[in-house]
Amino acid sequence: LWKKMEYARLRLMDPDSAINDIAYELGYGDSRSFSRAFKNINGISPSAFQEREGNKAKGKLCETSLTRSDKHTTTRVSF
């Protein structure tokens, strides 16, 4: 569970990452279950964490152009 939450924290630092996608990648059936587990471990909800940490990360990004494919794919990760 700790490794999953570490992965979740890293993903949530990207303000463009969707909480639903992260929950699915970690094997949760819905974002509500993931949010409960995340808050129990970290003491803060995933959305609050993402707002706080994502804004910090966004401010650190240098001005670069990133290309992103139009097709969004989500994969599950295993720990």
Side-chain angles (χ1 to χ4, degrees):
L1 184 61
W2 289 102
K3 285 187 177 190
K4 283 186 175 188
M5 291 303 133
E6 182 178 346
Y7 174 81
R9 286 190 301 274
L10 289 173
R11 291 276 283 122
L12 288 166
M13 288 182 183
D14 176 1
D16 296 326
S17 292
I19 293 171
N20 288 337
D21 291 343
I22 296 168
Y24 177 80
E25 290 169 12
L26 294 175
Y28 287 91
D30 57 59
S31 62
R32 191 169 169 210
S33 298
F34 164 69
S35 293
R36 239 187 339 265
F38 187 91
K39 189 170 184 176
N40 284 339
I41 297 292
N42 297 289
I44 187 172
S45 70
S47 56
F49 181 89
Q50 186 175 43
E51 185 176 318
R52 184 183 72 195
E53 298 300 322
N55 287 335
K56 286 181 188 176
K58 197 172 195 176
K60 293 180 183 178
L61 291 176
C62 60
E63 293 180 17
T64 57
S65 175
L66 299 175
T67 55
R68 191 172 173 176
S69 84
D70 291 337
K71 186 177 181 183
H72 180 7
T73 57
T74 304
T75 55
R76 288 185 184 253
V77 292
S78 52
F79 294 92

